Amino acid sequence: SSGINAEWPLRPGNIVKTLINLTISICNEKILQHVLVLVNDVLSDKENIKLFEEIEDANAAEKLANKEAPKGLSSWEPFLDLLNRPDEFIVNQSCLILAKVISCGQFRLDSKNLNWFINWQVSQLLQSNTYLHTILASQQLMLRVTEYRAPFHNSTCLDKMLNILSTRISFQLQYQMVFCFWLLSFRTTYCFKLMDFIKPTAEILRQAVKEKVIRLILQFYRNLLTNHSAPRKIAELMIQGKVQVVIGQLIEKNWKDEDIKEDVEHVKGVLDEMLQDMSTFDSYLAEVKSGKLEWSPLHTNPAFWRENAQKLNQNDHEVLRMIRILLKDEQDPTTLAVCAHDVGEYVRHYPVGKYNVEKLGLKERVVCLLDNDDPKVWRVF
């Protein structure tokens, strides 16, 4: 490659071998750090991955010619071994180098070492990890490789990511995680577990200002709606997560990026179609399950309550029980006001429901709202 030749007049392949040998033999951590930075610099030019592949090709040829031949220099093992070092910089530089070597070219890591490496990465998925961005960068590289996706999916990687997404993290970390979800969302088998990420990514989409984050989440949603075997379930989860509300805001913007414009229109079209297919009560149920209620026409339309009031009794008063939980735990004044209003509409259109309201403790919860200081709440009475 021209880049490495410009810096080193020696044969590039020999330079790479020398750097790898240095990572094996150097004990001084400061010097080792510098060597690893050099290796990463070499790999920043994707053409240079061939120099690492040449080492593995030479090993394979040697073994083919002589089965008794001693094991030659490895292009990846030294970096796997360095993951056990105490120095965080060395560990995370090695992680990124290893991910590049086994992902960016033709060489693929064997299943035993791959599973060990993935489990090690999972152990590093902590919000407190200063090098979390490096771990995620290595996963972004590896998930581009189709055969690496199943081991990732089968590990606890996604569970750890879900925990991290529930905390306050930078938009860059959010982007890196969504990138991983997006890569997995191309296969139906993986979409089941990815359903858990609809609600947290909807919250990210609601607050996102960076176009690359918006674009990626929309593409993730588009894949889920296309590749999941039950797109209706995906649509319901998106409606619960208020995705259609955010999409409605995004479609009003003038996007210079045609991909974003197309993805917004596609997701909106699918959700609108699903909403039409869902009964009105299904839409109401999805909203209650989301935990965030708004003054939509569903709540204020007398025709809706005449037709559906008795449906609040279904499944052992499932909806009434969910409203009771919201009245107890929710802090959002609009949600509290809408809940109180809905209890009133239920009783008005289904007078026998007074018994259910008292038995389930809803009346007591609603009365408590009279002392709420927020006018959005007490004005409903």
Side-chain angles (χ1 to χ4, degrees), residues 21 39 41 44 98 108 165 216 223-224 310 316 332 343:
N21 277 315
V39 176
D41 285 346
S44 63
L98 180 58
R108 296 291 177 260
L165 273 184
L216 200 57
N223 277 1
L224 287 180
Q310 291 191 47
D316 193 23
D332 176 56
V343 172

Side-chain angles (χ1 to χ4, degrees), residues 63 127 131 241 245 280 302 346 362 371 380:
K63 274 292 181 186
Q127 187 197 13
Y131 291 93
V245 176
T280 307
Y346 166 69
L362 281 162
D371 297 325
V380 76

Side-chain angles (χ1 to χ4, degrees), residues 5-142:
N5 274 318
E7 294 184 29
W8 290 301
L10 302 175
R11 186 174 178 275
N14 290 336
I15 294 294
V16 169
K17 288 180 181 178
T18 301
L19 289 173
I20 294 174
N21 277 315
L22 285 172
T23 64
I24 297 170
S25 58
I26 290 175
C27 296
N28 184 290
E29 290 186 345
K30 288 295 181 184
I31 298 176
L32 182 55
Q33 288 176 4
H34 288 298
V35 172
L36 291 172
V37 170
L38 280 175
V39 176
N40 246 326
D41 285 346
V42 170
L43 285 167
S44 63
D45 183 344
K46 291 182 180 179
E47 288 296 311
N48 288 335
I49 192 65
K50 294 176 183 177
L51 303 175
F52 290 79
E53 290 179 335
E54 286 174 4
I55 296 173
E56 294 304 321
D57 291 342
N59 285 340
E62 181 71 22
K63 274 292 181 186
L64 192 62
N66 180 10
K67 292 183 179 181
E68 302 300 322
K71 188 176 182 181
L73 180 69
S74 170
S75 66
W76 57 270
E77 271 191 280
F79 306 108
L80 191 71
D81 292 339
L82 287 174
L83 297 179
N84 294 311
R85 296 288 280 264
D87 185 273
E88 288 187 349
F89 184 85
I90 290 173
V91 165
N92 286 279
Q93 283 288 306
S94 301
C95 171
L96 196 53
I97 292 169
L98 180 58
K100 290 177 180 178
V101 171
I102 67 174
S103 305
C104 296
Q106 301 301 314
F107 174 73
R108 296 291 177 260
L109 197 59
D110 64 276
S111 60
K112 180 181 177 182
N113 285 298
L114 175 64
N115 285 323
W116 188 93
F117 185 32
I118 290 174
N119 288 330
W120 178 87
Q121 288 176 318
V122 170
S123 72
Q124 304 300 305
L125 286 173
L126 302 167
Q127 187 197 13
S128 57
N129 186 352
T130 309
Y131 291 93
L132 181 57
H133 62 285
T134 306
I135 302 299
L136 293 173
S138 69
Q139 293 179 324
Q140 285 177 268
L141 287 169
M142 292 174 67

